[in-house]
Amino acid sequence: MSNFDDELAQHISEISKEKQPERDLWRGIELGITSQQGDASSSTVTSKQWMAIAASVCLVTVLWFAAPFAFKADESRSDGYALIDAMSMQQQQQVNSLLASYESTTALTEDWQEQLKELDDAADVIKAALKDDPDNSALIKMLHHVYQQQIALIERVHAPKWQQI
């Protein structure tokens, strides 16, 4: 057995300590750097994109702080619903912010508020089902999808004429 150990130790000592790349990587790195510089100079972040980024950060923060409450097994069902309440509150703030930003823009359709009401009703039905089963990931995904549809509807009906195809 010691002969095997000696051979293994010899082979290990012969192995190079540093892994060399199979090809020259500098060309890819250089292209990546120049394309990032070109992208940064040619693109600007719009206020809608900043709003979406801010909303995402808020949602992640809310989920971060609400998650311990949602995953405690010994807590009551109402504590598991804290995540849904936080999502709903964040969504309402985002909708209000969008509506305020489009206040001076004329809507492209007349019935968009009815559509928004239907989406609100759908969200209420999903939230009612979540009260009975707050850990149901399928219902949470459905609620999130309805919220995304609300935001998309508001942005779509208030899109400036130059953004329409």
Side-chain angles (χ1 to χ4, degrees):
M1 191 66 131
S2 70
N3 189 20
F4 177 75
D5 292 338
D6 292 338
E7 286 182 37
L8 183 60
Q10 181 183 358
H11 286 300
I12 291 173
S13 66
E14 292 173 0
I15 295 175
S16 175
K17 302 280 188 232
E18 198 172 298
K19 173 90 170 131
Q20 297 295 324
E22 296 173 3
R23 60 185 172 85
D24 182 25
L25 300 176
W26 178 247
R27 179 160 170 77
I29 294 169
E30 183 180 27
L31 287 172
I33 291 172
T34 58
S35 70
Q36 285 179 354
Q37 289 173 347
D39 291 345
S41 64
S42 67
S43 67
T44 58
V45 179
T46 65
S47 62
K48 286 183 189 177
Q49 290 169 330
W50 278 114
M51 192 179 313
I53 291 169
S56 299
V57 168
C58 290
L59 181 61
V60 167
T61 303
V62 167
L63 291 176
W64 180 265
F65 287 112
F69 299 113
F71 296 119
K72 288 185 180 179
D74 59 339
E75 296 291 331
S76 68
R77 284 261 192 234
S78 63
D79 287 341
Y81 196 74
L83 173 66
I84 287 51
D85 282 339
M87 278 179 57
S88 298
M89 186 170 31
Q90 192 269 340
Q91 171 69 11
Q92 191 59 47
Q93 289 172 346
Q94 190 173 5
V95 166
N96 290 343
S97 175
L98 271 175
L99 290 175
S101 69
Y102 289 126
E103 194 171 52
S104 62
T105 307
T106 305
L108 301 175
T109 62
E110 297 296 322
D111 66 340
W112 72 273
Q113 290 176 332
E114 292 170 22
Q115 295 173 15
L116 190 63
K117 174 74 171 108
E118 289 174 5
L119 289 170
D120 277 336
D121 293 343
D124 289 340
V125 169
I126 295 169
K127 286 190 285 186
L130 279 166
K131 283 190 190 248
D132 294 332
D133 188 9
D135 297 325
N136 188 327
S137 62
L139 289 174
I140 292 171
K141 287 178 185 175
M142 287 174 63
L143 181 63
H144 179 71
H145 183 71
V146 168
Y147 286 163
Q148 287 177 329
Q149 287 179 324
Q150 286 178 327
I151 299 300
L153 172 68
I154 294 169
E155 289 177 342
R156 193 172 48 246
V157 300
H158 290 92
K161 297 273 187 212
W162 59 269
Q163 285 184 344
Q164 297 174 14
I165 294 179

